[in-house]
Amino acid sequence: MKEIVDILEIYEKKKWIKIEKYVYIDFNTTILEEIGYKPMWELDSRSQPIAYTDCLMRFRESSEFIIVADVDDVLIPNKSNYFKEFSHWAKIYPFAAAFTYFRQSGIVKAFNSFGEFSLFNAINSLNVSGGNLDGKSIYQTKKAEIAWVHWPFFKNETVATIVPKNGGKMLHVGIGNSVNEKVCKSLTQNMQILLMQNYHKFDFYSDKLCRGTYFRSQNFCGKH
């Protein structure tokens, strides 16, 4: 993540972008040592929803749309640019708090050194899998009240779902290499052993839920 921020700071110096740093909320060191754990780490998605909502509140007067997405999410608009894409959906869904694009997994080739890197070859190596992952949302600032990781926390019933055949496409792009494949294979095998041996110890962890968790872990590893 640090490397990405370093690049973004170069862009900021060239006045191509503006970075608004988020002030992370936490307890002081003395309190953390006394209680022996970090309460902020127990929050849903750590502090991401707070940071997203902070962005929404800061820029709702100066922006019509705000994108909440990961650094490895790539939105490919159906229109010629993002603003035209989002304006198109705003006309169709004027009361929607957000437009959610379901994502598909994509894998690009990894390069071993900077000298070997080719943007053309990297994009050309992109392999997109079928199926949908949890989406990411573009918020209409005049309608949204609170942002969350995937969908609005409030007014979620007004969200408009954008599917690839009708609009743009969002890809969750990972790097394909043998190390990732070995780690995912090991993770899936260990998850299977752990869940199948221990799920019966917990009354709330049904067989259906256990198997569902395992298969989702398989799906995750197969697409990241």
Side-chain angles (χ1 to χ4, degrees), residues 92-108:
I92 298 176
Y93 304 107
F95 301 107
F99 317 122
T100 295
Y101 288 76
F102 277 106
R103 299 173 298 166
Q104 292 178 287
S105 291
I107 298 293
V108 294

Side-chain angles (χ1 to χ4, degrees), residues 8 11-12 15-21 59:
L8 291 177
Y11 290 171
E12 187 178 38
K15 301 187 183 301
W16 294 346
I17 64 171
K18 180 182 178 182
I19 299 174
E20 189 71 38
K21 293 185 178 180
F59 298 104

Side-chain angles (χ1 to χ4, degrees):
M1 193 66 195
K2 180 183 181 303
E3 290 81 0
I4 295 174
V5 174
D6 290 343
I7 294 175
L8 291 177
E9 288 178 343
I10 294 174
Y11 290 171
E12 187 178 38
K13 289 179 181 179
K14 294 179 177 292
K15 301 187 183 301
W16 294 346
I17 64 171
K18 180 182 178 182
I19 299 174
E20 189 71 38
K21 293 185 178 180
Y22 171 68
V23 180
Y24 182 76
I25 303 171
D26 204 349
F27 297 88
N28 63 45
T29 304
T30 302
I31 293 177
L32 293 177
E33 290 177 352
E34 288 178 355
I35 62 179
Y37 76 102
K38 295 188 176 183
M40 297 306 294
W41 286 13
E42 304 301 321
L43 296 176
D44 179 29
S45 302
R46 303 291 172 86
S47 286
Q48 288 185 61
I50 303 175
Y52 297 149
T53 300
D54 178 70
C55 176
L56 179 63
M57 295 298 107
R58 285 175 181 270
F59 298 104
R60 69 182 313 154
E61 299 296 331
S62 59
S63 304
E64 292 187 46
F65 310 103
I66 289 179
I67 302 175
V68 171
D70 300 333
V71 294
D72 53 359
D73 289 329
V74 180
L75 176 58
I76 305 172
N78 193 38
K79 305 297 181 182
S80 57
N81 58 55
Y82 287 152
F83 185 74
K84 289 183 179 180
E85 172 91 2
F86 305 151
S87 297
H88 168 75
W89 296 119
K91 291 179 181 178
I92 298 176
Y93 304 107
F95 301 107
F99 317 122
T100 295
Y101 288 76
F102 277 106
R103 299 173 298 166
Q104 292 178 287
S105 291
I107 298 293
V108 294
K109 177 184 176 182
F111 295 87
N112 295 323
S113 68
F114 183 79
E116 296 178 2
F117 177 76
S118 164
L119 181 60
F120 175 82
N121 289 338
I123 296 176
N124 197 45
S125 70
L126 177 64
N127 182 30
V128 179
S129 64
N132 292 321
L133 304 173
D134 287 341
K136 293 289 185 176
S137 294
I138 287 79
Y139 290 80
Q140 288 206 88
T141 55
K142 62 183 179 181
K143 297 295 181 182
E145 295 178 0
I146 296 178
W148 189 63
V149 179
H150 293 285
W151 306 278
F153 194 78
F154 293 135
K155 295 187 176 180
N156 194 15
E157 68 278 1
T158 68
V159 171
T161 301
I162 312 302
V163 295
K165 66 179 182 180
N166 296 329
K169 176 184 295 186
M170 183 174 284
L171 303 177
H172 187 65
V173 181
I175 296 175
N177 57 49
S178 57
V179 174
N180 285 349
E181 292 172 0
K182 289 179 180 178
V183 169
C184 283
K185 184 177 180 181
S186 175
L187 174 63
T188 302
Q189 292 173 342
N190 291 335
M191 178 74 76
Q192 182 184 29
I193 295 171
L194 177 65
L195 292 179
M196 295 307 174
Q197 288 181 349
N198 297 290
Y199 80 90
H200 60 278
K201 297 179 181 179
F202 306 97
D203 293 337
F204 62 86
Y205 212 59
S206 66
D207 180 74
K208 182 178 180 181
L209 179 59
C210 170
R211 295 180 184 278
T213 303
Y214 165 63
F215 286 120
R216 279 193 293 274
S217 72
Q218 279 191 315
N219 184 59
F220 173 86
C221 287
K223 295 183 177 182
H224 286 72

